[in-house]
Amino acid sequence: MRHPARAVADLLASGLALAGATVAGSLLFAIAEGGYATLPDLVREVGLPGAVAVAVAPLIALRLSGPRLGRAVLLGAAAGVAGTAVLELVREVGFRIFESMPGDLPMLMGVLLRDQIMQGPDTASNIAGWTYHVWNGGMFGVTYAVLLGGFPFRRSGDAVAGTLMGTGYGLVLGTGFLLSPVPKAVGAGVFGTDFGAKFAITVYLAHAGFGALLGWLVHRYGNRIAPLWSVACELLPPRGLRKEDN
C-alpha cells in the first residue's frame, strides 16, 4: 500500500491527463461544427495546451506517485490508434460501398484545420485531417486506459469482459457523435436521420469496432495498470482500523 500522499498525487495527475485528453480530442471538432469557434483557433488555444497536459501529467506522476499513469497513457494512446484503424475500415466500407455517409470525415477535418473550406481538400489538408483524426482516437484511448486500467485483470473469461467493456465504451462514443452538431453539419441531420438508418448503423458499427479492439488491447497489455477507482480506494483507512473506529 502506497503512502496516501502518493495516491493523491496519482489522482491529481490522472485528472490533469484526463482533462487534457478531453480538450485535445474531438470535442474541439464538435464545438467548431457547432459554430462556436474555428477549429484552427480551438486547436491552437485549447488543443495544444491539452496535449501538453497529457504529456506532462505522466512525468509528474512518475516523480511523485509511480509509473501507473505513464503506462496508462502510452498503452491507451497506442490502443486508441489501433482502434481508429478498425473504425476507419468500417467507415470507409460504409462510405464507399454502401453510401451510408455524405462525405469523408477526415477530409472535412483537414479543410477546417487548414481553413480552406472554400478551396477544398488537397494533400496538405488530407494529411492534417487524418493526423487529427488518428490523434482523436489516441486521446479516447488514453481516457479509457487511465480510467479503467487493465481491469478486469486476467482470469478465465476476462478477455471477453475487457472486450465487451471496450465495446460499450465505443458505443457511448458513437452516441455522443450522433448527438453532437457534426451529423447535421455534414448534411446527415440530427442523429443522422436525414440520411437514413444506415448512417447511424455505420457510426455504431465503426465505434463498436474501435472500442472492442481498444478494450482487448488495454486488458491484454495493461495487467500492471490499476483502475482509477483502485487508486482512490488507497485513501480509505485500512479495514481493520475502520472496524476499530466502529
Side-chain angles (χ1 to χ4, degrees):
M1 180 70 71
R2 294 184 298 181
H3 190 280
R6 292 174 67 83
V8 169
D10 199 344
L11 288 173
L12 292 176
S14 296
L16 178 62
L18 289 171
T22 299
V23 301
S26 62
L27 178 65
L28 302 184
F29 180 59
I31 292 173
E33 288 298 85
Y36 300 103
T38 66
L39 188 56
D41 287 344
L42 287 169
V43 169
R44 182 173 56 253
E45 298 171 11
V46 181
L48 289 179
V52 170
V54 173
V56 169
L59 300 178
I60 297 173
L62 182 63
R63 176 71 176 174
L64 299 178
S65 61
R68 186 201 72 89
L69 181 59
R71 290 171 180 159
V73 168
L74 290 175
L75 177 57
V81 170
T84 302
V86 176
L87 183 149
E88 277 305 306
L89 177 62
V90 176
R91 189 193 62 78
E92 283 289 323
V93 169
F95 171 54
R96 300 188 182 279
I97 297 178
F98 297 101
E99 298 181 345
S100 59
M101 289 193 160
D104 192 303
L105 200 59
M107 188 179 295
L108 173 60
M109 289 176 172
V111 295
L112 290 175
L113 279 169
R114 299 276 296 174
D115 198 19
Q116 57 185 59
I117 193 73
M118 299 303 295
Q119 297 94 316
D122 56 22
T123 301
S125 69
N126 287 337
I127 291 173
W130 276 97
T131 300
Y132 182 68
H133 187 48
V134 172
W135 168 264
N136 286 339
M139 291 301 97
F140 281 126
V142 166
T143 299
Y144 181 88
V146 170
L147 287 174
L148 298 179
F151 181 85
F153 295 110
R154 277 189 259 174
R155 292 186 300 272
S156 178
D158 281 353
V160 174
T163 303
L164 290 175
M165 287 173 59
T167 302
Y169 177 71
L171 292 175
V172 169
L173 296 181
T175 302
F177 175 84
L178 289 170
L179 291 173
S180 76
V182 176
K184 185 176 180 181
V186 299
V190 177
F191 213 79
T193 52
D194 291 353
F195 213 69
K198 58 185 179 180
F199 181 90
I201 292 171
T202 300
V203 168
Y204 276 126
L205 287 176
H207 283 83
F210 167 85
L213 183 56
L214 169 66
W216 183 84
L217 287 172
V218 172
H219 165 76
R220 173 65 179 79
Y221 297 103
N223 61 307
R224 298 174 66 187
I225 303 172
L228 199 58
W229 66 80
S230 179
V231 178
C233 287
E234 294 181 32
L235 299 177
L236 297 175
R239 186 172 300 177
L241 182 59
R242 277 180 278 170
K243 288 181 179 179
E244 290 177 7
D245 289 342
N246 292 333

